[in-house]
Amino acid sequence: MTTIDIQLSATRKEKPKEDQLAFGRNFTDHMFIMDYSTEKGWYDPRIVPYAPISLDPSTMVFHYGQTVFEGLKAYRTKDDQILLFRPEKNMERMNLSNERICIPHIDGEIVIEGLKKLIQVDRDWVPTAEGTSLYIRPFVIPTEPFLGVAPATQYRFMIIMSPVGSYYKEGIQPVRIFVENEYVRAVAGGTGTAKTGGNYAASLKAQEEATKRGYTQVLWLDGVEKKYVEEVGSMNVFFKIKGEVVTPQLNGSILEGITRNSILQLLRHWDIPVSERRISMDEIREAYDKGELEEAFGTGTAAVISPIGEFLYEEKQILINEGKTGELSKKLYDTLTGIQNGTLKDEFGWTVTVENEKVLSK
Amino acid sequence: MTTIDIQLSATRKEKPKEDQLAFGRNFTDHMFIMDYSTEKGWYDPRIVPYAPISLDPSTMVFHYGQTVFEGLKAYRTKDDQILLFRPEKNMERMNLSNERICIPHIDGEIVIEGLKKLIQVDRDWVPTAEGTSLYIRPFVIPTEPFLGVAPATQYRFMIIMSPVGSYYKEGIQPVRIFVENEYVRAVAGGTGTAKTGGNYAASLKAQEEATKRGYTQVLWLDGVEKKYVEEVGSMNVFFKIKGEVVTPQLNGSILEGITRNSILQLLRHWDIPVSERRISMDEIREAYDKGELEEAFGTGTAAVISPIGEFLYEEKQILINEGKTGELSKKLYDTLTGIQNGTLKDEFGWTVTVENEKVLSK
């Protein structure tokens, strides 16, 4: 069993007010670090005061994008427990991402143990107000100072945490989506299934242009025929057509969302017809024309469920459920957030409790 | 006119021996830096001692791959002049890359002025032995501490420099190339035309598998049909078929190499038939079967010309010119390196002389 060293901070930062939490701007007092070298493997897992890291300008992370990240949340329940949502799935996916871009495998158990300790240390940072949570960002960067294009021989794994406000401050709201048919996010054989930096850099331009036109997010089409639906922004996407829920199958270019996986389980548990398959924008437009497109929503860690009120596809508007949040979208949102924050019973064994233990330096 | 501040290092590092220069491992005594903020634009261009940079763990460069880089070389001529090769082309391309991933435009003139000053400061680092050069790495990273997926509002542009040995220590040598038909480097609408980190991360896995099988590099096919030739490793690729030189046209997914551009100019100058067009592996195999595939080579800053002796495509070998360096490949290599290192007359106005001036702190 690897021991996690703990070095507590001598000072504590002032916490932001809970009604003023912005996403990803404030960070807790500590962070988890683990380093890798070819000789030692992953070594020195430790919790240390949150602080800048110093890197040579030739460090590979600045040049060749060999980075992977994850995102999950910790929630405080009404009876003051701290819950994580399926953290082992994040570690599974991180290792799939690692595999794709030649980062060495990481032991998920050590990381989850480290994460729990980190949360125990910074427990006061998990916010209490409804809809708030502690956003957790595990990530890996190559730390070798070398300009050769090759997998690095040194890496750093880190976890940082940031208290975040409610995604829907004025209640759950549908978004307007621009269907992108110029820029491509990913293609089979590329890195679309990995949570790696380059996919997000690739998405910025289309997002910027969609924003200028007044749309919240982009819907990505396949990179080959530009006909089939892939993802929405950085969420997976679902459609309800004539009572059946359809989502694109895992095809080698979309990211397998943990929320996506949970939603599919919930739908099947409720005996709602669900299908993972290829779906084209033509099919969606046809369903819309026939009045059969009942709902659409995105799924992801940030918003959990993001109802879609409108698509703009080839300059034509597809209005969904009169632009209002659909019944199923709302039910899925209430159920999943209820399980996550402990107000609903977790029948699926998804939540993991972080014990309330006092942690000392060691 | 922007003033470039100069702060010279109090100490100088020991230089590596010229016969032991490895690529991208040793760096000169100084570096060029310029920062960006939304309010100020690019500001504070400066030359400072080479040193680590300190960044908050939430800095966007660690998460979303919004990075761009360039590569060029400075050569020392026999009469002790320092030459750059078409540096303005690197700045043009950097701005095309920037545009694709939402990094603000950089004034190429300021950068080239800064680069010249940096070389003047570190002039002793430009090696003298035949085939050696000073590799120059300009790059941009987002420096804003923020976990939101959006273009950053703060960036740092840097230039670091590394003395490099001869690419061909034992004379120019043909390489063996594995034609990749599982992994994809880029697709039209993606980021293939930009020199951004994610493209290189995406290439590592295929390169690793090719290396295991005994091949030096990968030849990438198009991401849509996996039939058409794109690039070799991180080089552009040329074929000589029945006296005509063919290279893939700029199609929105390959990178426009500056060496590629120079080779095309040279060939046209020599009245050698040349064609930029789509070319399939089937066509190359057919030419090979008919005995019409005369030469193949890659072009890039590192090797300048890299003759290709063999392709492995769908488990069948395509042997080129009996695995030996072709006559045209050799002539192109000699001519281009001759212009670069000043032994041949530069009829194209490609080289830029760095004046030998003493630079003081200011």
Side-chain angles (χ1 to χ4, degrees), chain B residues 98-135:
Chain B
N98 288 346
E99 164 75 18
R100 178 63 185 84
I101 61 165
C102 304
I103 295 176
H105 183 91
I106 295 174
D107 181 345
E109 281 188 33
I110 290 175
V111 168
I112 291 172
E113 192 198 332
L115 171 59
K116 286 179 175 174
K117 278 220 158 38
L118 180 63
I119 293 171
Q120 286 167 347
V121 168
D122 282 339
R123 198 173 197 282
D124 292 348
W125 281 89
V126 187
T128 55
E130 195 183 328
T132 62
S133 58
L134 185 68
Y135 181 79

Side-chain angles (χ1 to χ4, degrees), chain A residues 57-222:
Chain A
S58 70
T59 302
M60 292 168 96
V61 66
F62 299 135
H63 304 273
Y64 304 126
Q66 199 194 3
T67 65
V68 154
F69 71 92
E70 275 298 329
L72 68 161
K73 287 176 174 175
Y75 305 84
R76 192 184 290 270
T77 68
K78 288 218 170 82
D79 55 352
D80 204 29
Q81 286 202 76
I82 309 293
L83 299 181
L84 291 168
F85 186 73
R86 310 185 78 185
E88 72 289 349
K89 294 292 280 180
N90 291 94
M91 288 312 303
E92 265 175 38
R93 186 171 62 186
M94 177 168 255
N95 276 320
L96 288 176
S97 301
N98 288 346
E99 165 74 19
R100 179 61 186 85
I101 61 165
C102 302
I103 295 176
H105 183 91
I106 295 173
D107 180 345
E109 280 189 33
I110 290 174
V111 168
I112 291 173
E113 193 198 330
L115 171 59
K116 285 179 177 176
K117 278 221 159 35
L118 180 62
I119 293 171
Q120 286 167 348
V121 168
D122 282 339
R123 198 174 197 280
D124 291 349
W125 282 89
V126 185
T128 55
E130 195 184 326
T132 63
S133 58
L134 185 68
Y135 181 78
I136 298 159
R137 168 57 58 90
F139 64 105
V140 191
I141 56 170
T143 48
E144 184 180 356
F146 178 42
L147 293 186
V149 177
T153 63
Q154 298 161 34
Y155 298 88
R156 174 164 286 188
F157 170 87
M158 301 180 76
I159 304 176
I160 57 176
M161 307 194 298
S162 171
V164 294
S166 177
Y167 196 87
Y168 297 108
K169 287 198 178 58
E170 292 156 11
I172 185 167
Q173 289 291 338
V175 291
R176 301 173 69 217
I177 303 287
F178 182 81
V179 182
E180 175 60 50
N181 51 14
E182 179 187 352
Y183 298 109
V184 170
R185 177 188 169 272
V187 69
T191 57
T193 57
K195 218 164 163 67
T196 180
N199 295 339
Y200 296 80
S203 76
L204 297 174
K205 187 81 180 166
Q207 177 64 49
E208 192 177 68
E209 295 184 5
T211 306
K212 269 187 203 150
R213 295 195 55 177
Y215 291 84
T216 316
Q217 298 256 13
V218 157
L219 181 137
W220 300 104
L221 299 180
D222 75 282

Side-chain angles (χ1 to χ4, degrees), chain B residues 155-254:
Chain B
Y155 298 88
R156 174 163 286 188
F157 170 85
M158 302 180 76
I159 304 176
I160 58 176
M161 307 195 298
S162 170
V164 295
S166 177
Y167 196 87
Y168 297 108
K169 288 199 176 61
E170 293 156 11
I172 184 167
Q173 290 290 340
V175 291
R176 301 173 69 217
I177 303 287
F178 181 82
V179 182
E180 175 61 48
N181 51 13
E182 180 187 352
Y183 297 110
V184 169
R185 177 186 168 274
V187 69
T191 57
T193 57
K195 218 165 163 65
T196 179
N199 294 339
Y200 296 81
S203 77
L204 297 174
K205 186 80 181 167
Q207 176 65 48
E208 191 178 68
E209 293 183 5
T211 306
K212 269 187 204 150
R213 296 196 54 177
Y215 290 83
T216 315
Q217 298 255 12
V218 157
L219 182 136
W220 299 105
L221 299 180
D222 75 283
V224 173
E225 299 183 61
K226 294 189 183 163
K227 280 172 63 177
Y228 298 98
V229 171
E230 297 254 315
E231 311 186 8
V232 163
S234 47
M235 298 188 287
N236 293 114
V237 64
F238 288 73
F239 303 90
K240 183 163 166 259
I241 300 171
K242 266 178 80 177
E244 186 194 44
V245 179
V246 182
T247 192
Q249 69 199 357
L250 303 175
N251 60 356
S253 58
I254 72 173

Side-chain angles (χ1 to χ4, degrees), chain A residues 112-331:
Chain A
I112 291 173
E113 193 198 330
L115 171 59
K116 285 179 177 176
K117 278 221 159 35
L118 180 62
I119 293 171
Q120 286 167 348
V121 168
D122 282 339
R123 198 174 197 280
D124 291 349
W125 282 89
V126 185
T128 55
E130 195 184 326
T132 63
S133 58
L134 185 68
Y135 181 78
I136 298 159
R137 168 57 58 90
F139 64 105
V140 191
I141 56 170
T143 48
E144 184 180 356
F146 178 42
L147 293 186
V149 177
T153 63
Q154 298 161 34
Y155 298 88
R156 174 164 286 188
F157 170 87
M158 301 180 76
I159 304 176
I160 57 176
M161 307 194 298
S162 171
V164 294
S166 177
Y167 196 87
Y168 297 108
K169 287 198 178 58
E170 292 156 11
I172 185 167
Q173 289 291 338
V175 291
R176 301 173 69 217
I177 303 287
F178 182 81
V179 182
E180 175 60 50
N181 51 14
E182 179 187 352
Y183 298 109
V184 170
R185 177 188 169 272
V187 69
T191 57
T193 57
K195 218 164 163 67
T196 180
N199 295 339
Y200 296 80
S203 76
L204 297 174
K205 187 81 180 166
Q207 177 64 49
E208 192 177 68
E209 295 184 5
T211 306
K212 269 187 203 150
R213 295 195 55 177
Y215 291 84
T216 316
Q217 298 256 13
V218 157
L219 181 137
W220 300 104
L221 299 180
D222 75 282
V224 174
E225 299 183 61
K226 294 189 183 162
K227 280 172 62 177
Y228 298 98
V229 172
E230 298 254 313
E231 310 186 10
V232 163
S234 47
M235 297 187 286
N236 294 114
V237 64
F238 288 72
F239 304 89
K240 184 162 166 258
I241 300 171
K242 265 179 81 178
E244 185 194 44
V245 179
V246 182
T247 191
Q249 68 200 358
L250 302 174
N251 59 358
S253 57
I254 71 173
L255 190 83
E256 183 177 2
I258 294 161
T259 311
R260 173 187 185 277
N261 177 291
S262 310
I263 291 295
L264 286 172
Q265 283 194 51
L266 269 181
L267 290 168
R268 286 175 179 137
H269 183 71
W270 291 341
D271 286 329
I272 292 175
V274 55
S275 163
E276 297 175 68
R277 63 173 172 85
R278 206 155 78 146
I279 181 164
S280 69
M281 274 312 294
D282 286 345
E283 181 181 341
I284 287 166
R285 186 153 53 188
E286 210 181 296
Y288 167 70
D289 287 341
K290 288 194 202 155
E292 295 173 352
L293 178 58
E294 295 153 0
E295 297 189 32
F297 55 91
T299 65
T301 294
V304 185
I305 298 286
S306 186
I308 296 168
E310 181 195 330
F311 290 108
L312 188 74
Y313 177 50
E314 293 178 344
E315 301 302 328
K316 283 188 198 124
Q317 193 197 44
I318 297 175
L319 192 71
I320 300 165
N321 194 35
E322 297 171 346
K324 293 189 294 242
T325 299
E327 200 181 316
L328 181 64
S329 306
K330 185 68 170 58
K331 186 178 171 191

Side-chain angles (χ1 to χ4, degrees), chain B residues 140-357:
Chain B
V140 192
I141 56 170
T143 48
E144 183 180 358
F146 178 41
L147 293 186
V149 178
T153 63
Q154 298 162 34
Y155 298 88
R156 174 163 286 188
F157 170 85
M158 302 180 76
I159 304 176
I160 58 176
M161 307 195 298
S162 170
V164 295
S166 177
Y167 196 87
Y168 297 108
K169 288 199 176 61
E170 293 156 11
I172 184 167
Q173 290 290 340
V175 291
R176 301 173 69 217
I177 303 287
F178 181 82
V179 182
E180 175 61 48
N181 51 13
E182 180 187 352
Y183 297 110
V184 169
R185 177 186 168 274
V187 69
T191 57
T193 57
K195 218 165 163 65
T196 179
N199 294 339
Y200 296 81
S203 77
L204 297 174
K205 186 80 181 167
Q207 176 65 48
E208 191 178 68
E209 293 183 5
T211 306
K212 269 187 204 150
R213 296 196 54 177
Y215 290 83
T216 315
Q217 298 255 12
V218 157
L219 182 136
W220 299 105
L221 299 180
D222 75 283
V224 173
E225 299 183 61
K226 294 189 183 163
K227 280 172 63 177
Y228 298 98
V229 171
E230 297 254 315
E231 311 186 8
V232 163
S234 47
M235 298 188 287
N236 293 114
V237 64
F238 288 73
F239 303 90
K240 183 163 166 259
I241 300 171
K242 266 178 80 177
E244 186 194 44
V245 179
V246 182
T247 192
Q249 69 199 357
L250 303 175
N251 60 356
S253 58
I254 72 173
L255 191 82
E256 183 177 2
I258 294 161
T259 312
R260 174 187 185 278
N261 177 291
S262 309
I263 291 294
L264 287 171
Q265 283 195 51
L266 268 179
L267 290 168
R268 286 174 178 137
H269 184 71
W270 291 340
D271 285 329
I272 291 174
V274 54
S275 163
E276 298 173 68
R277 63 172 171 85
R278 205 156 78 146
I279 182 164
S280 69
M281 274 311 296
D282 286 344
E283 181 182 341
I284 287 167
R285 186 153 55 186
E286 209 180 296
Y288 168 70
D289 287 340
K290 288 193 201 153
E292 294 172 354
L293 178 58
E294 295 154 0
E295 296 189 32
F297 55 91
T299 65
T301 295
V304 185
I305 298 285
S306 187
I308 295 168
E310 181 196 330
F311 289 108
L312 187 74
Y313 177 50
E314 293 177 345
E315 300 303 327
K316 284 188 196 125
Q317 192 196 43
I318 297 175
L319 192 71
I320 299 164
N321 195 37
E322 295 170 348
K324 292 188 297 237
T325 299
E327 201 181 316
L328 181 64
S329 306
K330 184 71 170 59
K331 186 178 170 191
L332 285 166
Y333 177 79
D334 290 343
T335 307
L336 205 52
T337 56
I339 294 172
Q340 288 171 335
N341 64 33
T343 52
L344 288 183
K345 187 163 174 280
D346 171 15
E347 298 177 75
F348 303 90
W350 285 340
T351 52
V352 172
T353 305
V354 179
E355 303 300 331
N356 188 359
E357 278 174 24

